[in-house]
Amino acid sequence: MTKERSRPSADPATKPDMAAILHGHRMRRNRRSPWSRSLVRETSLTVDDLIWPIFLMDGTKARQEILAMPGVWRLSVDQAVAEAGRAAKLGLKAIALFPYTDPARRDPMGSEALNSGNLVCSACRAIKSSVPEIGLITDVALDPYTSHGHDGLMSEAGEILNDATVEQLVLQALIQAEAGADVIAPSDMMDGRVGAIRQALDRAQFMEVQILAYTAKYASAFYGPFREAVGTARTLLGDKRTYQMDPANSDEALREAELDISEGADMIMVKPALPYLDIIYRLKQTFGMPTFAYQVSGESSMIEAASRNGWIDGEKAMIESLTAIKRAGADAIMTYFAPRAAELLARP
Ligand code: PBG
């Protein structure tokens, strides 16, 4: 250990008596060397923590970069199969599927959600047969299929109808389970949907299909780029504040979690992630459930944009943000960075 060279202090009266102040406590000791920092590190991010959300589009051999999500592509089903294979090789455990539905197939009811030949179901079947080892998570909500861009059915007065929507979501969940989805993830925030989906899955003998509930999903501006990706950015009528949570609330997330757990959720999720670390922490501490977090499109696009401008080190910011989400209590993280993070984490 090199001794600190003592700097001559201009005025001995102001020179601090460090021994008296520190009593031997020097926090920096543990931080001196890489090996020591490794030993005392509390949180480690690994490829086991990552879920990769993928966007689907019509066609074959088709890929389209999403303007508001540089580095993220919409993929035709064959390309999604190839990427699922790459993801499995990288050690990623699961992918989540989101469709860009041709606007011609969108209607007020979101009927395309119930077409067992839709993009998500086709991708499920194709990926299950070529890459059976990867977990398949499908999103239950109507927004990529409705002409008005809402997650639920709309009354003539423009209200989002809860119970009628739940009936539709149950059917959507069933066709996804039939197509081979391992985990059904309702992201719609209707009341009672977890219980209704659990009951329907069980009745149809899909007892083993898991439910990942978007438990605390906030009405967030950070979903902007995702809405471009699935094509609802321009068509969305109004906002989603009558069903998604108010960003100002935290206790309400506990009640949402209590209900989702009692209705049969296997995992609960908080979304977005980084602006809601306190919610992740509270849910994990209170319920001890498998608790996931979704690093949403706006969160990753901000990092990517700043990085592409040379304003921040993108790779470091990516790993730092994911580590922070895990430190708050997340067991797994949905992130568009998943394959890139997996590559980085695999480096010695
Ligand atoms: C909607 C849904 C949204 C996201 C996932 N599912 C957006 C919304 O509620 O409008 C956002 C994910 C992201 O921003 O990455 N069912």
Short mmCIF file of all heavy atoms in Angstrom, two decimals, residues 280-306:
data_model
loop_
_atom_site.label_atom_id
_atom_site.label_comp_id
_atom_site.label_asym_id
_atom_site.label_seq_id
_atom_site.Cartn_x
_atom_site.Cartn_y
_atom_site.Cartn_z
N ILE A 280 -40.83 -1.46 -7.09
CA ILE A 280 -40.22 -2.80 -7.17
C ILE A 280 -39.81 -3.24 -5.76
O ILE A 280 -40.10 -4.35 -5.31
CB ILE A 280 -38.97 -2.80 -8.10
CG1 ILE A 280 -39.36 -2.40 -9.52
CG2 ILE A 280 -38.27 -4.15 -8.06
CD1 ILE A 280 -38.16 -2.16 -10.44
N TYR A 281 -39.14 -2.32 -5.08
CA TYR A 281 -38.64 -2.62 -3.73
C TYR A 281 -39.78 -2.96 -2.78
O TYR A 281 -39.75 -3.97 -2.07
CB TYR A 281 -37.84 -1.42 -3.20
CG TYR A 281 -37.23 -1.66 -1.85
CD1 TYR A 281 -36.04 -2.37 -1.73
CD2 TYR A 281 -37.85 -1.19 -0.69
CE1 TYR A 281 -35.49 -2.62 -0.49
CE2 TYR A 281 -37.31 -1.43 0.55
CZ TYR A 281 -36.13 -2.15 0.65
OH TYR A 281 -35.59 -2.39 1.89
N ARG A 282 -40.81 -2.14 -2.80
CA ARG A 282 -41.94 -2.38 -1.87
C ARG A 282 -42.65 -3.70 -2.16
O ARG A 282 -42.99 -4.45 -1.25
CB ARG A 282 -42.97 -1.25 -1.97
CG ARG A 282 -42.62 -0.03 -1.16
CD ARG A 282 -43.79 0.94 -1.10
NE ARG A 282 -44.69 0.70 0.03
CZ ARG A 282 -45.82 1.38 0.24
NH1 ARG A 282 -46.19 2.32 -0.63
NH2 ARG A 282 -46.57 1.12 1.28
N LEU A 283 -42.87 -3.97 -3.43
CA LEU A 283 -43.59 -5.22 -3.76
C LEU A 283 -42.76 -6.43 -3.37
O LEU A 283 -43.27 -7.39 -2.80
CB LEU A 283 -43.95 -5.27 -5.24
CG LEU A 283 -44.98 -4.25 -5.74
CD1 LEU A 283 -45.46 -4.62 -7.14
CD2 LEU A 283 -46.19 -4.14 -4.81
N LYS A 284 -41.47 -6.38 -3.67
CA LYS A 284 -40.62 -7.53 -3.35
C LYS A 284 -40.56 -7.74 -1.83
O LYS A 284 -40.68 -8.86 -1.34
CB LYS A 284 -39.22 -7.32 -3.93
CG LYS A 284 -38.30 -8.51 -3.74
CD LYS A 284 -38.81 -9.73 -4.50
CE LYS A 284 -37.95 -10.96 -4.24
NZ LYS A 284 -38.50 -12.16 -4.91
N GLN A 285 -40.38 -6.62 -1.10
CA GLN A 285 -40.29 -6.72 0.36
C GLN A 285 -41.60 -7.21 0.98
O GLN A 285 -41.60 -8.00 1.91
CB GLN A 285 -39.96 -5.34 0.96
CG GLN A 285 -38.59 -4.81 0.62
CD GLN A 285 -37.48 -5.52 1.37
OE1 GLN A 285 -37.57 -5.72 2.57
NE2 GLN A 285 -36.45 -5.91 0.65
N THR A 286 -42.72 -6.74 0.44
CA THR A 286 -44.00 -7.05 1.05
C THR A 286 -44.48 -8.46 0.73
O THR A 286 -45.00 -9.15 1.60
CB THR A 286 -45.08 -6.04 0.57
OG1 THR A 286 -44.59 -4.72 0.80
CG2 THR A 286 -46.39 -6.23 1.31
N PHE A 287 -44.32 -8.88 -0.52
CA PHE A 287 -44.95 -10.15 -0.91
C PHE A 287 -43.96 -11.29 -1.13
O PHE A 287 -44.36 -12.46 -1.15
CB PHE A 287 -45.79 -9.94 -2.18
CG PHE A 287 -46.90 -8.94 -1.98
CD1 PHE A 287 -46.77 -7.64 -2.45
CD2 PHE A 287 -48.04 -9.28 -1.27
CE1 PHE A 287 -47.79 -6.71 -2.25
CE2 PHE A 287 -49.05 -8.36 -1.06
CZ PHE A 287 -48.93 -7.07 -1.54
N GLY A 288 -42.69 -10.96 -1.34
CA GLY A 288 -41.71 -12.02 -1.59
C GLY A 288 -42.06 -12.88 -2.78
O GLY A 288 -41.69 -14.05 -2.86
N MET A 289 -42.77 -12.30 -3.72
CA MET A 289 -43.15 -13.03 -4.94
C MET A 289 -42.04 -12.88 -5.97
O MET A 289 -41.27 -11.92 -5.93
CB MET A 289 -44.42 -12.40 -5.54
CG MET A 289 -45.70 -12.77 -4.88
SD MET A 289 -46.22 -14.44 -5.29
CE MET A 289 -46.78 -14.26 -7.01
N PRO A 290 -41.99 -13.82 -6.95
CA PRO A 290 -41.14 -13.53 -8.11
C PRO A 290 -41.60 -12.20 -8.70
O PRO A 290 -42.77 -12.05 -9.07
CB PRO A 290 -41.42 -14.69 -9.06
CG PRO A 290 -41.89 -15.81 -8.17
CD PRO A 290 -42.65 -15.13 -7.06
N THR A 291 -40.72 -11.22 -8.69
CA THR A 291 -41.08 -9.86 -9.07
C THR A 291 -40.23 -9.43 -10.26
O THR A 291 -39.01 -9.42 -10.16
CB THR A 291 -40.86 -8.92 -7.87
OG1 THR A 291 -41.62 -9.43 -6.76
CG2 THR A 291 -41.31 -7.50 -8.17
N PHE A 292 -40.89 -9.13 -11.34
CA PHE A 292 -40.18 -8.73 -12.55
C PHE A 292 -40.34 -7.23 -12.77
O PHE A 292 -41.21 -6.60 -12.17
CB PHE A 292 -40.72 -9.48 -13.78
CG PHE A 292 -40.46 -10.98 -13.78
CD1 PHE A 292 -39.89 -11.63 -12.70
CD2 PHE A 292 -40.80 -11.74 -14.89
CE1 PHE A 292 -39.65 -13.01 -12.71
CE2 PHE A 292 -40.58 -13.12 -14.91
CZ PHE A 292 -40.00 -13.75 -13.83
N ALA A 293 -39.47 -6.71 -13.63
CA ALA A 293 -39.59 -5.29 -13.98
C ALA A 293 -39.42 -5.18 -15.49
O ALA A 293 -38.70 -5.97 -16.10
CB ALA A 293 -38.51 -4.48 -13.28
N TYR A 294 -40.07 -4.21 -16.07
CA TYR A 294 -39.99 -3.99 -17.51
C TYR A 294 -39.26 -2.67 -17.76
O TYR A 294 -39.79 -1.61 -17.45
CB TYR A 294 -41.40 -3.94 -18.09
CG TYR A 294 -41.53 -4.13 -19.60
CD1 TYR A 294 -42.63 -4.78 -20.13
CD2 TYR A 294 -40.57 -3.66 -20.49
CE1 TYR A 294 -42.79 -4.95 -21.50
CE2 TYR A 294 -40.70 -3.83 -21.85
CZ TYR A 294 -41.82 -4.47 -22.36
OH TYR A 294 -41.97 -4.64 -23.71
N GLN A 295 -38.04 -2.78 -18.26
CA GLN A 295 -37.32 -1.58 -18.69
C GLN A 295 -37.92 -1.22 -20.05
O GLN A 295 -37.61 -1.85 -21.07
CB GLN A 295 -35.82 -1.85 -18.82
CG GLN A 295 -35.03 -0.63 -19.25
CD GLN A 295 -33.54 -0.90 -19.35
OE1 GLN A 295 -33.10 -1.82 -20.05
NE2 GLN A 295 -32.74 -0.13 -18.67
N VAL A 296 -38.82 -0.24 -20.05
CA VAL A 296 -39.65 -0.03 -21.24
C VAL A 296 -38.91 0.74 -22.33
O VAL A 296 -37.79 1.23 -22.14
CB VAL A 296 -40.99 0.67 -20.89
CG1 VAL A 296 -41.78 -0.17 -19.89
CG2 VAL A 296 -40.74 2.09 -20.37
N SER A 297 -39.61 0.84 -23.46
CA SER A 297 -39.02 1.42 -24.67
C SER A 297 -38.40 2.80 -24.43
O SER A 297 -37.27 3.05 -24.87
CB SER A 297 -40.10 1.51 -25.75
OG SER A 297 -41.22 2.24 -25.29
N GLY A 298 -39.11 3.68 -23.73
CA GLY A 298 -38.58 5.03 -23.53
C GLY A 298 -37.32 5.02 -22.69
O GLY A 298 -36.40 5.82 -22.92
N GLU A 299 -37.26 4.11 -21.74
CA GLU A 299 -36.06 4.03 -20.90
C GLU A 299 -34.84 3.62 -21.73
O GLU A 299 -33.76 4.20 -21.60
CB GLU A 299 -36.26 2.99 -19.78
CG GLU A 299 -37.36 3.31 -18.80
CD GLU A 299 -37.47 2.20 -17.76
OE1 GLU A 299 -36.56 2.08 -16.91
OE2 GLU A 299 -38.45 1.44 -17.80
N SER A 300 -35.01 2.59 -22.56
CA SER A 300 -33.85 2.14 -23.31
C SER A 300 -33.54 3.08 -24.47
O SER A 300 -32.36 3.31 -24.78
CB SER A 300 -34.01 0.70 -23.80
OG SER A 300 -35.27 0.50 -24.36
N SER A 301 -34.58 3.68 -25.07
CA SER A 301 -34.30 4.63 -26.16
C SER A 301 -33.57 5.87 -25.67
O SER A 301 -32.74 6.43 -26.38
CB SER A 301 -35.61 5.04 -26.87
OG SER A 301 -36.06 4.00 -27.70
N MET A 302 -33.85 6.30 -24.45
CA MET A 302 -33.13 7.46 -23.91
C MET A 302 -31.65 7.15 -23.78
O MET A 302 -30.78 7.97 -24.10
CB MET A 302 -33.68 7.85 -22.54
CG MET A 302 -35.01 8.55 -22.60
SD MET A 302 -35.44 9.37 -21.04
CE MET A 302 -35.35 8.05 -19.88
N ILE A 303 -31.37 5.95 -23.27
CA ILE A 303 -29.96 5.56 -23.10
C ILE A 303 -29.29 5.44 -24.47
O ILE A 303 -28.19 5.95 -24.70
CB ILE A 303 -29.87 4.23 -22.32
CG1 ILE A 303 -30.32 4.45 -20.87
CG2 ILE A 303 -28.45 3.65 -22.39
CD1 ILE A 303 -30.39 3.18 -20.03
N GLU A 304 -30.01 4.81 -25.40
CA GLU A 304 -29.45 4.61 -26.74
C GLU A 304 -29.21 5.94 -27.46
O GLU A 304 -28.18 6.14 -28.09
CB GLU A 304 -30.41 3.71 -27.54
CG GLU A 304 -29.88 3.20 -28.85
CD GLU A 304 -28.63 2.34 -28.72
OE1 GLU A 304 -28.41 1.72 -27.65
OE2 GLU A 304 -27.86 2.32 -29.70
N ALA A 305 -30.19 6.84 -27.33
CA ALA A 305 -30.06 8.13 -28.02
C ALA A 305 -28.90 8.93 -27.44
O ALA A 305 -28.09 9.50 -28.19
CB ALA A 305 -31.36 8.92 -27.89
N ALA A 306 -28.79 8.97 -26.14
CA ALA A 306 -27.69 9.72 -25.51
C ALA A 306 -26.36 9.11 -25.89
O ALA A 306 -25.37 9.81 -26.16
CB ALA A 306 -27.88 9.75 -24.00
#
